[in-house]
Amino acid sequence: MKKVLSMVALGSMLFGLSACSSEEQEIEQATSGNVFVKLENVVGPSSRMTEPAKTESDATEFHNGFLIFGTPKSAIRKHYQIVSSAKEEIKSDHVVLLDDLRKGKNFEGIPGDVTNVAIVANVTEEELSATEFQNGTIRFHNDVLNHIIQLRNQHADNMSHVALYDMKMLQAGAVKGTMSASLELKPMCARLEIAKITPGPDVVEYQVDGIYLSGFYDRMPISQISNREYWCSPDYDKEDPAAELQRFFSGYPYLANTDIKSVTETVGEGDEAKTVTAFYPEADGKVWAYPFFGKSELRNDDGHYGLRLIVKVSHLKVYLKDENGDKHLHDVTKDDKDKGIPEDKAGIRYLNINGFVEEYHNTEAEPVQFYNGNVYTVQNFEITTQNLSDRIMPTDINVNITVQVKPWTIKKVYPQI
């Protein structure tokens, strides 16, 4: 699908030369030239603190960035810091206003050995700073790609200013002696959305207490080549999961959601109709949203660290089958207390999701390949008796949800029972 978010085109990047002979043109082009840069369809900064679901018409805002001209061997010949506010005093010829680029700006003196252009946008000074370009710390494009972006910087304002990147080679233009390139800035993270949680057929009563992204990369190089050292999770072996989740997510509050409300709904029609309790975000029309760095999810690779999700559930009353296959109603909290489990832990269970597939209820479906720039929306998310545990991420758990994607790209995902 065509991307709709903040598509940034460096339209008509022209090496403009003065009138001279063809021989003189070749000599001049090999030494320096003028490059015209125009950023198309760039949204400027605004204030947005809500978390509606992402749609294909949502724009990712351009707040700041760097424009980089490089050679075939990665050397950076020219760089410009892109700033979004006219209030920022421009003291250097290496600083350019975003509004000027939106109108189109001519850059003079670009060396003739420049063959590519890149933009890195919406990064913090901690992640990539102008000082590093100025003092020579960054001399090659690979130096830029090795810089680390932080997951904590990707979640604010409905992810409207996530880190963006693209690099393209300059190509011969339609007019002889010109060069051009179009850049499509892509988000350097992905997003998981959950709009609703419902009960499975054997769940009579329940309470959703928290939804946690509980296995993820908290950092990623701009190159987007993940490093297992950056993978984070709570301690799955802790005897007190509730205390461990509280401890761990004190450092990652944007990956834990407890703004949850219950809604009584009628599902089915006629004789099949029944009343159930569904759980939604407290604010109407919102979703539980989690940024993450995309990486392929290899379910059967023991050495792989992939995306994990935990749902904390309490106050359970469920139907369980006895040895004869007959169903009996169980109050899980009461059963736990009868077994001597302390009151503050009785009845608490966890739904552990450690795999994602694209086909609903297909246990042999291929695992989803996660890519940055996609929104993965969870579909048909049910709490079922088969998938609940009193531990977080036990080693024998194999619960999967399916996903679907849309541009920004958005993909749907379903819990697979």
Side-chain angles (χ1 to χ4, degrees), residues 3 45 65 91 114 171 206 232 249 264 353 395:
K3 284 195 176 298
K91 300 179 180 179
V114 165
Q171 304 293 331
Y206 71 117
C232 298
F249 286 101
T264 301
I353 306 295
T395 55

Side-chain angles (χ1 to χ4, degrees), residues 50-280:
T50 57
E51 283 291 333
K54 295 295 284 186
T55 69
E56 294 182 10
S57 61
D58 280 343
T60 295
E61 298 165 0
F62 195 120
H63 286 239
N64 59 64
F66 296 93
L67 176 66
I68 304 165
F69 295 98
T71 71
K73 294 186 177 180
S74 180
I76 295 175
R77 287 289 186 249
K78 281 277 189 178
H79 75 273
Y80 296 88
Q81 183 183 5
I82 306 169
V83 298
S84 60
S85 173
K87 295 179 181 179
E88 299 178 58
E89 186 177 357
I90 299 180
K91 300 179 180 179
S92 167
D93 60 359
H94 288 282
V95 177
V96 60
L97 280 174
L98 174 60
D99 280 347
D100 289 344
L101 292 180
R102 293 168 73 178
K103 299 170 187 174
K105 181 176 177 62
N106 192 57
F107 292 87
E108 298 180 351
I110 300 298
D113 59 349
V114 165
T115 59
N116 58 70
V117 61
I119 286 183
V120 181
N122 297 348
V123 289
T124 66
E125 187 172 354
E126 170 198 16
E127 294 167 336
L128 187 65
S129 71
T131 302
E132 293 175 285
F133 284 95
Q134 294 162 5
N135 64 19
T137 302
I138 295 177
R139 298 174 56 203
F140 295 90
H141 194 73
N142 287 341
D143 296 332
V144 174
L145 296 179
N146 289 333
H147 272 60
I148 304 298
I149 59 175
Q150 302 286 336
L151 187 62
R152 66 173 179 265
N153 295 330
Q154 309 306 311
H155 72 97
D157 298 349
N158 194 32
M159 298 174 67
S160 62
H161 61 269
V162 297
L164 304 167
Y165 172 78
D166 193 22
M167 188 272 280
K168 286 290 192 310
M169 302 298 295
L170 291 168
Q171 304 293 331
V175 180
K176 186 177 179 181
T178 68
M179 302 290 284
S180 66
S182 291
L183 270 69
E184 188 176 81
L185 291 187
K186 305 174 187 69
M188 284 190 274
C189 74
R191 172 178 168 109
L192 186 72
E193 292 184 350
I194 304 169
K196 176 182 180 180
I197 295 177
T198 57
D202 294 335
V203 176
V204 179
E205 293 182 18
Y206 71 117
Q207 171 73 39
V208 175
D209 297 321
I211 309 163
Y212 309 89
L213 198 67
S214 59
F216 53 87
Y217 294 90
D218 71 342
R219 291 160 286 166
M220 189 72 77
I222 291 174
S223 67
Q224 300 178 59
I225 299 173
S226 59
N227 185 327
R228 288 178 181 174
E229 294 179 5
Y230 303 154
W231 193 79
C232 298
S233 72
D235 186 344
Y236 297 149
D237 296 324
K238 283 289 187 181
E239 292 185 5
D240 189 342
E244 173 59 8
L245 291 178
Q246 183 176 5
R247 180 202 68 80
F248 179 76
F249 286 101
S250 65
Y252 301 96
Y254 51 92
L255 298 179
N257 271 301
T258 55
D259 58 331
I260 301 164
K261 68 178 179 184
S262 62
V263 177
T264 301
E265 298 181 340
T266 300
V267 297
E269 297 179 358
D271 294 340
E272 301 296 323
K274 64 176 181 178
T275 300
V276 301
T277 300
F279 288 87
Y280 292 84

